[in-house]
Amino acid sequence: MAGPRVVIIGAGVVGAALADEVSSRGWTEVTVVDQGPLPATGGSSSHAPGLVFQTNASKAMTELARYTVEKFSSLDLDGQPCYLKVGGLEVATTPERLAELHRRHGWLHSWGIDARVIDPEECVELHPLVARERVLGGLHIPTDGLAKAVLAVEAQLRAARARGVRTLGRHEVLDIRTDDDNRVTAVITDQGEIPADIVVCCAGIWGPKVARMVGMDLPLTPLAHQLAWTGPVPALAGQDREAIRPILRHQDADLYYRDRFDRLGIGYYGHRPMPIDADDILSVDAAEEMPSVLKFTEDDFAEAWTETQALLPATKETEVEEGINGLFSFTTDGLPLLGQSPDVKGFWVAEAVWVTHSAGVGRAMAEWLVDGHCSSFDLHACDVNRFEPHQLAPEYVLARGCQNFVEVYDILHPLQPPGAPRPLRTGPFHPRQQELGAFFLEASGWERPQWYEANDALVEGRDIPVPGDWAARYWSPIVGAEARATRENVAMYDMTALKRLDVTGRGAAAFLQHLTTANVAKSVGSVTYTLMLDHDGGIRSDVTVARLGRDHFQVGANGNLDLDWFTRHLPEDGSVQVRDITAGTCCIGLWGPRARDVLQPLADKDFSNQGLKFFRAKRAHIGAVPVTAMRLSYVGELGWELYTTADMGAKLWDTLWEAGREHGIIAAGRGAFNSLRLEKGYRSFGHDMTYEHDPYEAGVGFAVKRDKGDFIGKAALERRAESVTRRLTCLTIDDPGNVVMGHEPVYDGDSPVGYVTSAAFGYTIGKGIAYAWLPAELATPGRTLHIGYFGRRIPADVAEEPLFDPSMQRLRG
């Protein structure tokens, strides 16, 4: 037997890709099972229009799509190509969409994909059916194209079969067997039992139904999407190849188009959401055409047909000949669901993956299964365990899935908050924040203030630069006033949305030592900034670890993936317990040069510099409120994170607020926080650094203690440390009107050389700040580069960091 016994449920584009990729890595004891006939099984792959658009704000999603293009371009089935590289064309019919195309062009250059923004004449030259008077410009991606999904399925399955993989069509999965250790042992089908050590659910629209067989809630909603085909279009008469024009997207009207000889396919997202429960999808035998195809609802398509005739006048000479409402998978955040169940060992999912990303996901999952980690793609945003418990509630999953359907082609701002259901999570400070006129955005379901209207008077007399139109959305000059007031006096920041984990037990210290890069087994009261690495040395997270007792640690984490990582590595002897305490606690960051003036008179412990040094913690009472105080600051000022239980939160807020009045205290929001943290050079996991980066590249090598004992990723990291070819680099922008937002390309001359991660205006230093990944040889202070921003090139200078208080005097005072 080569490798463990693997059963892949679903033989669509994802299951076929995984079978091919995993068998090419030497695992050949693999069975692919599907309820439908092979290769057209009746799922979404069987009716998918096959559009492959690589443009995405997510670097990982673009790279998954790029690999799919590369792989499908190399596949054929009996001489038939599996990919038609006709290119992609997105057209703008409004000024707002044209600006968005420039932004999307920036993403592509950031991620290394060739593309151009073109004028209306070239749009018509590429796609002669387009009405010149309707378009203002377009975005052309030459390597986009059409995937022949069913051919690609069969081509990949054939390659897998040649290595010994078994494929079983017409086998309906009825159950998944597990043992007393909650590990998968077999897949039960209507034609017998298939032994398994690993089960991978690639069932697409049936994913929630299959996952429930092992008690797993999958936040996926099948939704119908309209696809219609015209009759013959006279202007296309005589076209003897299936597709010669680029696939066309008219996102202002939620439409896309593709050739099919002398006819056009029309896809439409502008209709009402039409969700369906996975349990209500018909069986292969009961479905009239196939289970993923529902009856076409002509009324829902009427507006699409009117708009099509306006954009493509040649269609006035034909009519809609046929159509379907085809089912596809939507998630709560628009990203795939990849990874292993948190509870059932050996049960994995690769769900909510469209044709565009299918081969890339197949490769990623194969690496993850065989090697224990994925080395080709950063999958942290796609991990199925990223969700908080409320994000798995059926009401939430349905509402957000439908919202993502509606917004699939919308112009979305990076800070744009989601819609209903909201609010979901409110901390004990929420009523006080409402009284102060907080403008709330959402973080992991928490309502988190971005700024407070009560601070409007602070703007007067201050020169707060106004950013450009795009950056000015979800922004107020109050953000700048709050940032400056923090530097001048003292401010309270709501840090409740920070994930907090309690790690306890006789083995807690050794457990954390094994998972982190720094020495956390220091004296009681110590606080350590440290990293968690994957087995290949990439950064999984950055955390703070406070030792509150001999066998008691509090971890400031980045989200549910950290809790999942901890849980998976718990020793089997029960010597360590990990508990998420976030919901039952709250936190205020009290920061600024007058923070001690506010806190010390209220406290029953010494909060002088000697009484509680930087990166130390202690328990104390602030007035009548018991707190755990940690001397940390993510804004670069004197102060503390003050933790208490949720029931005492309002009292803590009121106590600090009343005492701070004479010292000019304010409540400040996340906008000011982000500006201040970038002035100080503090990294944000998920933005500035992710799984694909190592500590030395990211500028956090100080958090690695190579002389400590072994820890996960240590050996791999020592190999990576020998060659640093890229660096996270600080750039400054002199023009205050050119505040960028993140994901923009960075150019050296005409060559794209990197991309922006986090950005904000630095109200203390009076310049724009952008952190960017650049080749190491370009990360030289004083060097001038350019940032691509909506088609313009903005000069940006490489700067020494931190930009503010490099001697750390304000923090340590």
Side-chain angles (χ1 to χ4, degrees):
M1 181 177 71
R5 297 170 298 179
V6 179
V7 176
I8 299 171
I9 300 174
V13 283
V14 181
L18 176 56
D20 182 25
E21 295 283 344
V22 78
S23 62
S24 73
R25 286 163 174 78
W27 282 15
T28 56
E29 191 73 12
V30 178
T31 301
V32 183
V33 59
D34 199 293
Q35 64 182 338
L38 302 179
T41 62
S44 300
S45 302
S46 300
H47 76 258
L51 278 67
V52 177
F53 277 98
Q54 298 164 88
T55 312
N56 200 292
S58 162
K59 181 172 182 282
M61 294 296 283
T62 297
E63 290 176 339
L64 291 167
R66 173 165 45 197
Y67 181 78
T68 301
V69 167
E70 292 171 357
K71 184 175 184 181
F72 281 11
S73 297
S74 71
L75 295 177
D76 72 80
L77 187 72
D78 300 329
Q80 299 181 77
C82 294
Y83 188 71
L84 307 178
K85 196 178 293 185
V86 293
L89 176 63
E90 302 179 25
V91 294
T93 59
T94 64
E96 294 78 13
R97 181 65 63 176
L98 184 59
E100 171 72 355
L101 294 187
H102 281 286
R103 185 169 75 113
R104 294 167 69 81
H105 174 260
W107 297 344
L108 289 164
H109 268 199
S110 291
W111 315 143
I113 303 288
D114 180 44
R116 291 186 305 126
V117 176
I118 59 178
D119 62 26
E121 283 71 26
E122 193 166 358
C123 290
V124 175
E125 184 179 337
L126 287 168
H127 203 299
L129 299 189
V130 171
R132 162 64 183 83
E133 68 276 8
R134 287 295 312 278
V135 298
L136 303 179
L139 175 63
H140 180 228
I141 308 96
T143 53
D144 282 353
L146 291 168
K148 306 291 291 180
V150 175
L151 296 184
V153 166
E154 178 60 16
Q156 292 175 101
L157 289 180
R158 280 189 188 180
R161 288 189 200 106
R163 303 184 192 103
V165 171
R166 184 171 59 151
T167 59
L168 301 176
R170 290 286 186 175
H171 280 60
E172 182 182 358
V173 173
L174 304 177
D175 201 1
I176 298 168
R177 194 185 304 284
T178 58
D179 62 17
D180 292 340
D181 193 36
N182 220 16
R183 180 180 295 278
V184 298
T185 60
V187 172
I188 312 301
T189 78
D190 60 351
Q191 298 191 45
E193 180 174 310
I194 307 170
D197 305 304
I198 293 173
V199 175
V200 188
C201 177
C202 304
I205 53 178
W206 290 279
K209 182 177 180 179
V210 174
R212 280 200 303 274
M213 295 176 185
V214 295
M216 185 178 184
D217 293 322
L218 206 60
L220 182 158
T221 302
L223 281 127
H225 154 59
Q226 290 198 302
L227 175 65
W229 295 96
T230 70
V233 180
L236 304 181
Q239 181 173 319
D240 58 0
R241 284 187 291 158
E242 179 178 351
I244 59 175
R245 294 163 191 80
I247 47 179
L248 177 68
R249 287 208 284 188
H250 176 25
Q251 292 170 300
D252 284 322
D254 297 303
L255 285 162
Y256 66 77
Y257 306 92
R258 58 149 295 178
D259 289 12
R260 189 173 72 179
F261 298 102
D262 63 346
R263 290 162 166 78
L264 286 178
I266 307 169
Y268 186 44
Y269 288 103
H271 55 79
R272 61 192 169 91
M274 294 183 273
I276 185 171
D277 192 289
D279 292 321
D280 294 333
I281 301 172
L282 294 177
S283 67
V284 172
D285 293 328
E288 183 175 337
E289 183 174 349
M290 64 180 75
S292 63
V293 169
L294 306 181
K295 184 179 179 181
F296 187 61
T297 49
E298 293 184 16
D299 290 348
D300 290 305
F301 196 73
E303 189 174 333
W305 183 234
T306 299
E307 182 59 30
T308 294
Q309 292 176 309
L311 181 71
L312 308 174
T315 59
K316 294 178 181 178
E317 299 183 61
T318 188
E319 59 186 15
V320 174
E321 193 170 79
E322 57 181 311
I324 63 170
N325 288 3
L327 293 176
F328 289 97
S329 300
F330 282 79
T331 62
T332 58
D333 59 7
L335 293 171
L337 308 173
L338 311 177
Q340 187 174 194
S341 161
D343 303 312
V344 179
K345 302 177 184 70
F347 184 80
W348 293 70
V349 299
E351 290 290 356
V353 181
W354 292 5
V355 173
T356 295
H357 309 103
S358 58
V361 167
R363 177 175 178 174
M365 292 298 297
E367 290 178 351
W368 202 346
L369 289 165
V370 175
D371 302 330
H373 62 272
C374 177
S375 57
S376 296
F377 309 97
D378 165 33
L379 297 181
H380 85 275
C382 303
D383 194 311
V384 70
N385 296 295
R386 65 189 180 267
F387 301 102
E388 297 290 326
H390 72 274
Q391 294 172 318
L392 300 177
E395 177 187 349
Y396 181 95
V397 172
L398 177 61
R400 292 290 167 89
C402 290
Q403 180 183 348
N404 282 323
F405 176 89
V406 170
E407 294 178 346
V408 70
Y409 278 173
D410 286 2
I411 298 171
L412 300 177
H413 192 273
L415 296 178
Q416 185 168 324
R422 189 178 172 214
L424 286 165
R425 307 174 81 182
T426 56
F429 315 136
H430 190 253
R432 302 294 186 266
Q433 293 164 342
Q434 288 179 307
E435 292 168 5
L436 294 172
F439 180 85
F440 292 101
L441 297 180
E442 189 192 78
S444 299
W446 292 100
E447 295 295 315
R448 185 169 66 183
Q450 191 73 359
W451 69 81
Y452 294 86
E453 290 295 334
N455 294 326
D456 183 57
L458 295 175
V459 176
E460 188 175 350
R462 301 177 190 269
D463 181 19
I464 307 294
V466 178
D469 290 345
W470 185 249
R473 299 185 189 185
Y474 306 101
W475 176 87
S476 164
I478 296 171
V479 168
E482 291 177 356
R484 291 187 182 174
T486 303
R487 296 270 189 244
E488 295 162 2
N489 294 309
V490 59
M492 293 164 51
Y493 287 81
D494 181 0
M495 303 298 290
T496 299
L498 177 72
K499 178 75 104 176
R500 292 173 291 283
L501 307 175
D502 247 13
V503 182
T504 56
R506 68 181 188 277
F511 171 74
L512 290 169
Q513 286 287 80
H514 179 60
L515 291 182
T516 64
T517 61
N519 178 24
V520 301
K522 296 182 289 192
S523 61
V524 172
S526 65
V527 183
T528 307
Y529 174 82
T530 185
L531 309 170
M532 295 193 297
L533 305 181
D534 213 330
H535 295 278
D536 65 347
I539 300 171
R540 283 198 65 95
S541 189
D542 64 336
V543 298
T544 54
V545 180
R547 191 169 200 173
L548 304 181
R550 182 180 180 277
D551 299 324
H552 181 194
F553 296 81
Q554 181 173 310
V555 177
N558 280 300
N560 214 55
L561 289 182
D562 291 346
L563 174 60
D564 180 67
W565 188 250
F566 277 11
T567 303
R568 291 187 190 280
H569 290 87
L570 284 173
E572 295 183 359
D573 62 4
S575 61
V576 182
Q577 297 80 46
V578 175
R579 187 167 60 98
D580 184 352
I581 62 170
T582 310
T585 56
C586 58
C587 179
I588 292 175
L590 182 70
W591 294 314
R594 304 190 72 178
R596 187 174 285 121
D597 297 332
V598 174
L599 191 65
Q600 186 61 76
L602 300 170
D604 64 347
K605 298 287 177 65
D606 182 7
F607 279 86
S608 69
N609 194 40
Q610 289 300 112
L612 187 62
K613 294 182 178 180
F614 191 52
F615 267 81
R616 298 289 296 178
K618 69 164 57 172
R619 289 192 171 97
H621 288 87
I622 306 303
V625 181
V627 302
T628 298
M630 299 183 194
R631 191 167 169 196
L632 310 175
S633 171
Y634 285 96
V635 301
E637 293 291 339
L638 169 69
W640 303 267
E641 292 180 356
L642 302 172
Y643 297 88
T644 191
T645 51
D647 62 317
M648 298 297 292
K651 183 63 175 176
L652 177 62
W653 180 285
D654 292 344
T655 301
L656 294 171
W657 186 259
E658 186 60 33
R661 286 180 182 274
E662 63 179 291
H663 302 290
I665 199 167
I666 65 164
R670 192 69 179 184
F673 177 94
N674 197 47
S675 169
L676 297 170
R677 74 133 180 126
L678 287 176
E679 288 184 331
K680 196 61 184 165
Y682 291 144
R683 277 62 168 146
S684 172
F685 179 80
H687 296 280
D688 302 316
M689 54 191 186
T690 65
Y691 293 4
E692 66 177 304
H693 306 116
D694 71 46
Y696 304 111
E697 298 171 329
V700 288
F702 63 87
V704 179
K705 305 306 178 187
R706 297 172 72 176
D707 58 350
K708 69 174 276 190
D710 192 28
F711 55 84
I712 292 177
K714 182 179 182 181
L717 183 61
E718 289 175 347
R719 293 191 295 271
R720 293 175 69 152
E722 298 170 1
S723 176
V724 175
T725 60
R726 58 183 175 178
R727 293 192 185 278
L728 184 62
T729 306
C730 179
L731 304 174
T732 58
I733 303 166
D734 288 336
D735 184 348
N738 286 325
V739 176
V740 300
M741 299 291 295
H743 295 179
E744 297 86 1
V746 180
Y747 295 89
D748 181 28
D750 291 330
S751 301
V753 293
Y755 59 92
V756 173
T757 58
S758 295
F761 190 79
Y763 296 99
T764 312
I765 65 167
K767 293 184 177 183
I769 306 168
Y771 272 79
W773 280 102
L774 297 174
E777 65 271 16
L778 297 181
T780 306
R783 189 182 192 106
T784 298
L785 302 169
H786 289 81
I787 298 173
Y789 191 58
F790 288 97
R792 296 180 291 118
R793 300 288 176 89
I794 299 171
D797 298 321
V798 178
E800 294 273 9
E801 58 172 324
L803 299 170
F804 177 77
D805 189 27
S807 65
M808 304 283 281
Q809 291 181 354
R810 294 173 76 102
L811 278 168
R812 300 180 184 275

